[in-house]
Amino acid sequence: MVRMLRHAQERGQVSGGALAGLADPKLSKALESIHEDPARGWDLTALAERAGMSRARFAEHFRLVTGSTPADYLASWRLMLAQRLLAKGVPAKAAALQVGYGSSSSLHRAFLRKFGTSPSDWLKHRSPEL
């Protein structure tokens, strides 16, 4: 799969986003780490180490390749996972802890920032596919 992504990126078929990051040999290591353990307290230093890059170079390269900062990507990934858990009926507190937020109130604040709504309101108005 990774080879296919890298091949597509080399041919200009993948530009930006997580797929472009996964196709990048160095960034893929950091992204895979986030995906495998989203609840870990990932910071720029730890992710740069996974990628084998300096913090500054990693942050710049990540933004250029994916179109977002490492912190924004991590928050988006965690919130997407939280949405899936909430949709399955997992209580907000448990979902928050599973994806790396210390409490349901911190998940609530992140939801408001990203989606403009609370987790409970999102649940009421979500599309059934999620």
Side-chain angles (χ1 to χ4, degrees):
M1 178 71 161
V2 171
R3 286 184 188 155
M4 180 185 71
L5 287 172
R6 288 182 184 146
H7 177 76
Q9 183 182 38
E10 289 168 4
R11 300 210 181 292
Q13 298 168 332
V14 176
S15 61
L19 287 180
L22 289 169
D24 184 281
K26 291 188 175 197
L27 295 184
S28 66
K29 295 172 186 172
L31 289 170
E32 288 168 6
S33 295
I34 288 172
H35 295 166
E36 289 171 8
D37 191 5
R40 181 173 172 179
W42 293 111
D43 62 12
L44 190 59
T45 301
L47 292 171
E49 285 174 4
R50 293 289 168 120
M53 302 171 80
S54 72
R55 286 174 33 143
R57 179 72 182 121
F58 173 76
E60 178 185 349
H61 188 64
F62 193 99
R63 188 184 51 73
L64 287 173
V65 172
T66 68
S68 70
T69 67
D72 286 342
Y73 182 86
L74 176 60
S76 293
W77 181 254
R78 286 176 171 170
L79 288 169
M80 188 257 327
L81 294 175
Q83 285 178 313
R84 289 182 181 173
L85 292 169
L86 293 168
K88 291 179 181 177
V90 175
K93 183 175 183 177
L97 295 174
Q98 285 184 45
V99 301
Y101 290 100
S103 65
S104 58
S105 61
S106 49
L107 175 62
H108 181 89
R109 287 189 300 274
F111 244 78
L112 284 174
R113 274 192 308 273
K114 179 79 172 177
F115 305 120
T117 188
S118 69
S120 57
D121 285 343
W122 174 81
L123 271 173
K124 292 176 192 169
H125 300 99
R126 73 179 172 87
S127 62
E129 303 88 53
L130 224 171

